[in-house]
mmCIF file of all heavy atoms in Angstrom:
data_model
loop_
_atom_site.group_PDB
_atom_site.id
_atom_site.type_symbol
_atom_site.label_atom_id
_atom_site.label_comp_id
_atom_site.label_asym_id
_atom_site.label_seq_id
_atom_site.Cartn_x
_atom_site.Cartn_y
_atom_site.Cartn_z
ATOM 1 N N GLY A 2 79.469 115.149 144.059
ATOM 2 C CA GLY A 2 80.219 116.333 144.462
ATOM 3 C C GLY A 2 81.542 116.448 143.743
ATOM 4 O O GLY A 2 82.004 117.553 143.418
ATOM 5 N N ALA A 7 85.252 119.007 139.893
ATOM 6 C CA ALA A 7 86.083 118.879 138.699
ATOM 7 C C ALA A 7 85.620 119.838 137.605
ATOM 8 O O ALA A 7 86.436 120.460 136.922
ATOM 9 C CB ALA A 7 86.034 117.434 138.196
ATOM 10 N N THR A 9 84.023 122.685 138.051
ATOM 11 C CA THR A 9 84.362 124.041 138.484
ATOM 12 C C THR A 9 85.836 124.330 138.253
ATOM 13 O O THR A 9 86.196 125.391 137.731
ATOM 14 C CB THR A 9 84.016 124.217 139.978
ATOM 15 O OG1 THR A 9 82.645 123.907 140.167
ATOM 16 C CG2 THR A 9 84.281 125.628 140.435
ATOM 17 N N ILE A 10 86.684 123.385 138.619
ATOM 18 C CA ILE A 10 88.127 123.572 138.418
ATOM 19 C C ILE A 10 88.438 123.702 136.927
ATOM 20 O O ILE A 10 89.245 124.546 136.511
ATOM 21 C CB ILE A 10 88.915 122.413 139.059
ATOM 22 C CG1 ILE A 10 88.807 122.511 140.578
ATOM 23 C CG2 ILE A 10 90.368 122.430 138.619
ATOM 24 C CD1 ILE A 10 89.405 121.338 141.315
ATOM 25 N N GLY A 11 87.788 122.889 136.101
ATOM 26 C CA GLY A 11 87.989 122.966 134.661
ATOM 27 C C GLY A 11 87.566 124.314 134.100
ATOM 28 O O GLY A 11 88.270 124.909 133.274
ATOM 29 N N ALA A 14 90.100 126.923 135.087
ATOM 30 C CA ALA A 14 91.321 126.779 134.281
ATOM 31 C C ALA A 14 91.113 127.360 132.883
ATOM 32 O O ALA A 14 91.975 128.071 132.358
ATOM 33 C CB ALA A 14 91.723 125.310 134.206
ATOM 34 N N ILE A 15 89.961 127.046 132.289
ATOM 35 C CA ILE A 15 89.672 127.585 130.952
ATOM 36 C C ILE A 15 89.594 129.112 131.004
ATOM 37 O O ILE A 15 90.100 129.808 130.125
ATOM 38 C CB ILE A 15 88.361 126.981 130.405
ATOM 39 C CG1 ILE A 15 88.576 125.503 130.081
ATOM 40 C CG2 ILE A 15 87.888 127.724 129.166
ATOM 41 C CD1 ILE A 15 87.301 124.757 129.747
ATOM 42 N N GLY A 20 91.890 134.320 129.713
ATOM 43 C CA GLY A 20 92.360 135.610 130.198
ATOM 44 C C GLY A 20 93.788 135.891 129.762
ATOM 45 O O GLY A 20 94.121 137.001 129.331
ATOM 46 N N LEU A 24 94.987 138.908 127.267
ATOM 47 C CA LEU A 24 96.043 139.842 127.664
ATOM 48 C C LEU A 24 97.199 139.825 126.658
ATOM 49 O O LEU A 24 97.762 140.877 126.344
ATOM 50 C CB LEU A 24 96.561 139.494 129.063
ATOM 51 C CG LEU A 24 95.629 139.862 130.216
ATOM 52 C CD1 LEU A 24 96.217 139.373 131.544
ATOM 53 C CD2 LEU A 24 95.389 141.353 130.267
ATOM 54 N N VAL A 26 96.959 139.173 123.476
ATOM 55 C CA VAL A 26 96.500 139.874 122.271
ATOM 56 C C VAL A 26 96.584 141.381 122.480
ATOM 57 O O VAL A 26 97.047 142.124 121.606
ATOM 58 C CB VAL A 26 95.064 139.438 121.911
ATOM 59 C CG1 VAL A 26 94.453 140.353 120.866
ATOM 60 C CG2 VAL A 26 95.067 137.999 121.413
ATOM 61 N N LEU A 29 100.246 142.442 122.371
ATOM 62 C CA LEU A 29 100.770 142.499 120.998
ATOM 63 C C LEU A 29 100.229 143.716 120.254
ATOM 64 O O LEU A 29 100.967 144.388 119.534
ATOM 65 C CB LEU A 29 100.396 141.219 120.246
ATOM 66 C CG LEU A 29 101.181 139.970 120.648
ATOM 67 C CD1 LEU A 29 100.608 138.745 119.934
ATOM 68 C CD2 LEU A 29 102.646 140.126 120.319
ATOM 69 N N ILE A 32 102.102 146.742 121.505
ATOM 70 C CA ILE A 32 103.469 146.802 120.968
ATOM 71 C C ILE A 32 103.442 147.266 119.522
ATOM 72 O O ILE A 32 104.251 148.105 119.105
ATOM 73 C CB ILE A 32 104.144 145.422 121.105
ATOM 74 C CG1 ILE A 32 104.450 145.141 122.574
ATOM 75 C CG2 ILE A 32 105.422 145.356 120.281
ATOM 76 C CD1 ILE A 32 104.905 143.721 122.841
ATOM 77 N N ALA A 34 101.167 149.122 118.127
ATOM 78 C CA ALA A 34 100.802 150.544 118.103
ATOM 79 C C ALA A 34 101.999 151.417 118.476
ATOM 80 O O ALA A 34 102.234 152.457 117.858
ATOM 81 C CB ALA A 34 99.639 150.793 119.057
ATOM 82 N N ALA A 38 103.723 154.149 116.038
ATOM 83 C CA ALA A 38 103.884 155.547 116.447
ATOM 84 C C ALA A 38 105.350 155.949 116.378
ATOM 85 O O ALA A 38 105.691 157.048 115.936
ATOM 86 C CB ALA A 38 103.343 155.732 117.858
ATOM 87 N N ARG A 42 106.980 158.786 113.893
ATOM 88 C CA ARG A 42 107.786 159.894 114.411
ATOM 89 C C ARG A 42 109.154 159.914 113.751
ATOM 90 O O ARG A 42 109.670 160.965 113.416
ATOM 91 C CB ARG A 42 107.915 159.766 115.936
ATOM 92 C CG ARG A 42 108.908 160.739 116.529
ATOM 93 C CD ARG A 42 108.381 161.394 117.781
ATOM 94 N NE ARG A 42 109.396 162.218 118.403
ATOM 95 C CZ ARG A 42 109.678 163.454 118.035
ATOM 96 N NH1 ARG A 42 109.041 164.008 117.029
ATOM 97 N NH2 ARG A 42 110.608 164.156 118.663
ATOM 98 N N SER A 43 109.742 158.750 113.561
ATOM 99 C CA SER A 43 111.063 158.696 112.929
ATOM 100 C C SER A 43 110.999 159.262 111.515
ATOM 101 O O SER A 43 111.873 160.008 111.095
ATOM 102 C CB SER A 43 111.566 157.249 112.879
ATOM 103 O OG SER A 43 111.767 156.765 114.183
ATOM 104 N N VAL A 46 110.703 163.056 111.791
ATOM 105 C CA VAL A 46 111.979 163.668 112.168
ATOM 106 C C VAL A 46 112.938 163.640 110.993
ATOM 107 O O VAL A 46 113.599 164.630 110.688
ATOM 108 C CB VAL A 46 112.584 162.946 113.396
ATOM 109 C CG1 VAL A 46 114.014 163.390 113.629
ATOM 110 C CG2 VAL A 46 111.738 163.208 114.628
ATOM 111 N N GLN A 50 114.492 166.973 109.129
ATOM 112 C CA GLN A 50 115.951 167.159 109.084
ATOM 113 C C GLN A 50 116.422 167.317 107.639
ATOM 114 O O GLN A 50 117.325 168.088 107.349
ATOM 115 C CB GLN A 50 116.647 165.978 109.742
ATOM 116 C CG GLN A 50 116.545 166.008 111.253
ATOM 117 C CD GLN A 50 117.161 164.792 111.901
ATOM 118 O OE1 GLN A 50 117.514 163.835 111.234
ATOM 119 N NE2 GLN A 50 117.298 164.831 113.215
ATOM 120 N N ARG A 51 115.788 166.573 106.713
ATOM 121 C CA ARG A 51 116.160 166.697 105.313
ATOM 122 C C ARG A 51 115.777 168.070 104.760
ATOM 123 O O ARG A 51 116.489 168.633 103.951
ATOM 124 C CB ARG A 51 115.463 165.598 104.481
ATOM 125 C CG ARG A 51 116.345 164.385 104.341
ATOM 126 C CD ARG A 51 115.755 163.412 103.334
ATOM 127 N NE ARG A 51 115.229 162.290 104.089
ATOM 128 C CZ ARG A 51 114.043 161.751 103.953
ATOM 129 N NH1 ARG A 51 113.217 162.211 103.047
ATOM 130 N NH2 ARG A 51 113.667 160.751 104.673
ATOM 131 N N ARG A 53 115.747 170.889 106.376
ATOM 132 C CA ARG A 53 116.660 171.925 106.908
ATOM 133 C C ARG A 53 117.978 171.964 106.153
ATOM 134 O O ARG A 53 118.570 173.002 106.000
ATOM 135 C CB ARG A 53 116.944 171.642 108.381
ATOM 136 C CG ARG A 53 115.783 171.949 109.274
ATOM 137 C CD ARG A 53 116.191 171.777 110.715
ATOM 138 N NE ARG A 53 115.002 171.712 111.567
ATOM 139 C CZ ARG A 53 114.964 171.147 112.737
ATOM 140 N NH1 ARG A 53 116.036 170.588 113.243
ATOM 141 N NH2 ARG A 53 113.861 171.139 113.440
ATOM 142 N N SER A 54 118.447 170.801 105.717
ATOM 143 C CA SER A 54 119.784 170.773 105.082
ATOM 144 C C SER A 54 119.686 170.968 103.580
ATOM 145 O O SER A 54 118.715 171.276 103.003
ATOM 146 C CB SER A 54 120.460 169.446 105.370
ATOM 147 O OG SER A 54 119.635 168.377 104.984
#
Side-chain angles (χ1 to χ4, degrees):
T9 304
I10 291 173
I15 290 171
L24 286 176
V26 168
L29 286 174
I32 289 171
R42 171 136 174 82
S43 295
V46 169
Q50 285 176 350
R51 267 190 253 132
R53 287 186 195 156
S54 54

